[in-house]
Structure formats: C-alpha cells, structure tokens
C-alpha cells in the first residue's frame, strides 16, 4: 500500500535531511555574486545595504523557473521596452506558492534579466546600467531576493513598508489548509532535490 511504503520511506528521508548540514535556502554562486555586486553598487552611491528577504527570494526563484525556457532577445529582460513587460498569467499562483499576497508585494519590484550563460559582469551591468538602475538607485528598497534558472536572473526588491514587505501572508490561512502530513512529506522531498 502506498501509505505503508511512504511510512517506510519517511524515516529514511528524514535522516537524510538531518545528515545533510545544509540550509534550506541554497543559493547558487551566481546569485551570491550578484548579491555582493548589487550591494557594492549601492554602497558606491551611499545607499543602504539590501538585506536578503526569503519570500522575495522564493518569488525570484519561481519567476526564474517561469522564464527559463524563453530565449534572450534584444527585447527581453533588461532590454524590455517599459510597459511591454511579460505578464505571467500564473503570477497569483506563484505568490501563493511563496505565501505572499499582492497586498504586501505591490510596492516591490521584479527585475528579470536574460544573459546567455549568466556571465557575471554582464549580469551585473544588466541591472546597474539599464533601466533597472532606477530601482537599484531607489532608497525605498531595503530587501532583495535573487533567483536564477538557465540564462535568466531575477531580482526581486522589497521595501520596509507593509505594501512591499513581502511578509508571509497569514490572511489566507494557508497553514490550516495544508494537511500536516504534507509538510512532513514536502520537507524531505525538497531536501532530496537539493542533494
Ligand atoms: C558618499 O559619501 C561620501 C562621504 O560622505 C562622499 O564623499 C561621496 O561623494 C558620496 N558619494 C555619492 C555618490 O553621493
Ligand atoms: C532587435 O532585433 C531585431 C531582429 O533581430 C531588429 O530588427 C531590431 O531592430 C532590434 N531592435 C533593437 C532595439 O536593437
Ligand atoms: C545585458 O546582457 C546582454 C546579453 O543578453 C548584453 O548583450 C547587454 O549588453 C547587457 N546590457 C547591459 C546594459 O549590460
Ligand atoms: C542611477 O545612479 C547612477 C549613478 O548616479 C546613474 O548613473 C544612473 O543614471 C541612475 N539611474 C537612473 C535610472 O536614474
Ligand atoms: C490578501 O490579503 C487581504 C487582506 O490582508 C485578504 O483580504 C485577501 O484575501 C488576501 N488575498 C489572497 C489571495 O490571499
């Protein structure tokens, strides 16, 4: 029976989590590199250091996942003509996945860039020397989440106001909707992917 097999697997998976001395949020080197470079850029302008925002990071990862199969062109990512940005129809789903609510993300900024092979120097200039510099120059942003997939790098900026805090949404009562067993199953599965 499926339930029986799962219950056999569970201790095994759980122990693999315990043995694994890794934080749940695991960044790629590219993401860390960009994080440092963006903060150096901010420092050069005497702006505050952006701190990591886990929920913004979750959204950045989800967005990168959506973009990853789109090729880079001269009208994608940082080259996008303002006003013609790709609207993801499943954006609300992505927000829900990250326990976010549009009421606390609306003042944030989502900045997707497409750079073949994510060449670090080009990635950073796609943010600091494009239309996106307007956002990076802005004092209202205090937090950052970075995600990358394929040739896409997504930066999500958060503010310290309620409208852009990217605070975990509790209004939807997400926790009670999900059966506790799913949490148990989900965690080892996530860990498995990270292995
Ligand atoms: C940053 O602050 C330093 C010291 O206050 C000042 O010399 C420098 O001109 C400032 N740079 C910018 C870009 O405002
Ligand atoms: C983008 O590329 C297309 C086709 O490759 C070209 O026709 C167009 O002029 C380019 N646009 C810009 C802004 O470079
Ligand atoms: C952004 O990356 C593209 C590669 O996709 C590169 O051709 C372009 O020069 C970069 N733009 C900036 C402003 O660095
Ligand atoms: C952001 O600041 C830099 C450095 O002062 C400047 O070169 C750039 O034009 C600014 N970007 C925007 C969109 O104002
Ligand atoms: C977002 O939050 C508001 C108020 O905090 C709530 O009324 C609304 O149902 C929430 N939306 C979703 C999709 O959870």
């Amino acid at each position: 029976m499926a339930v029986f097999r799962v219950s056999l697997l569970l201790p095994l998976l759980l122990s693999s989590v315990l043995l694994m001395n890794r934080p749940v949020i695991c960044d790629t080197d590219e993401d860390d590199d960009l994080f440092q470079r963006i903060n150096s850029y901010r420092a050069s302008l005497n702006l505050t250091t952006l701190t990591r925002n886990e929920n913004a990071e979750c959204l950045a990862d989800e967005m990168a996942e959506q973009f990853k199969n789109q090729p880079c062109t001269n009208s994608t990512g940082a080259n996008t003509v303002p006003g013609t940005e790709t609207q993801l129809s499943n954006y609300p789903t992505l927000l829900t996945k990250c326990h976010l609510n549009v009421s606390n993300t609306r003042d944030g900024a989502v900045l997707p860039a497409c750079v073949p092979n994510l060449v670090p120097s080009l990635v950073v200039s796609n943010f600091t020397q494009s239309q996106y510099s307007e956002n990076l120059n802005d004092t209202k942003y205090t937090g950052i989440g970075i995600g990358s997939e394929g040739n896409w790098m997504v930066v999500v900026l958060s503010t310290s106001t309620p409208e852009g805090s990217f605070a975990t949404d509790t209004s939807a009562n997400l926790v009670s909707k999900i059966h506790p067993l799913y949490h148990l199953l989900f965690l080892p599965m996530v860990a498995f992917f990270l292995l």
Side-chain angles (χ1 to χ4, degrees):
M1 310 249 333
V3 176
F4 181 65
R5 249 182 270 138
V6 164
S7 65
L8 269 177
L9 267 174
L10 211 63
L12 220 148
L13 289 173
L14 277 173
S15 56
S16 74
V17 178
L18 294 174
L19 284 172
M20 202 177 46
N21 233 342
R22 267 209 234 191
V24 175
I25 288 186
C26 164
D27 285 303
T28 61
D29 292 346
E30 287 94 348
D31 300 3
D32 279 335
D33 184 75
L34 184 61
F35 176 70
Q36 306 290 348
R37 286 172 185 251
I38 284 179
N39 271 329
S40 307
Y41 172 81
R42 298 259 307 178
S44 74
L45 299 179
N46 290 344
L47 296 170
T48 54
T49 302
L50 298 172
T51 56
R52 294 247 184 194
N53 179 308
E54 284 188 23
N55 289 344
E57 187 116 353
C58 171
L59 186 62
D61 283 333
E62 293 293 339
M63 297 286 283
E65 184 69 35
Q66 298 297 311
F67 281 119
K68 80 173 174 198
N69 294 320
Q70 291 182 33
C72 300
T73 73
N74 63 4
S75 62
T76 52
N79 301 323
T80 307
V81 178
T84 65
E85 295 85 0
T86 315
Q87 302 293 328
L88 296 174
S89 56
N90 61 348
Y91 188 64
T93 315
L94 303 182
L95 288 180
T96 308
K97 258 189 176 175
C98 293
H99 306 289
L100 289 167
N101 181 319
V102 69
S103 65
N104 60 22
T105 57
R106 92 167 49 96
D107 276 3
V110 176
L111 316 173
C114 197
V115 177
N117 305 316
L118 295 180
V119 179
S121 59
L122 279 181
V123 169
V124 69
S125 62
N126 262 261
F127 288 97
T128 58
Q129 287 166 37
S130 69
Q131 52 177 320
Y132 294 156
S133 71
E134 189 181 338
N135 302 90
L136 294 181
N137 290 1
D138 200 324
T139 53
K140 81 173 177 190
Y141 297 112
T142 54
I144 186 169
I146 301 175
S148 57
E149 285 286 340
N151 294 330
W152 287 85
M153 181 68 87
V154 179
V155 165
V156 174
L157 299 175
S158 63
T159 68
S160 47
T161 57
E163 294 77 22
S165 65
F166 283 67
T168 302
D169 179 35
T170 47
S171 68
N173 230 347
L174 288 161
V175 178
S176 68
K177 273 190 200 154
I178 299 171
H179 193 278
L181 184 62
Y182 284 1
H183 283 304
L184 274 177
L185 286 172
F186 189 64
L187 273 175
M189 265 156 59
V190 167
F192 222 67
F193 270 97
L194 294 174
L195 272 172

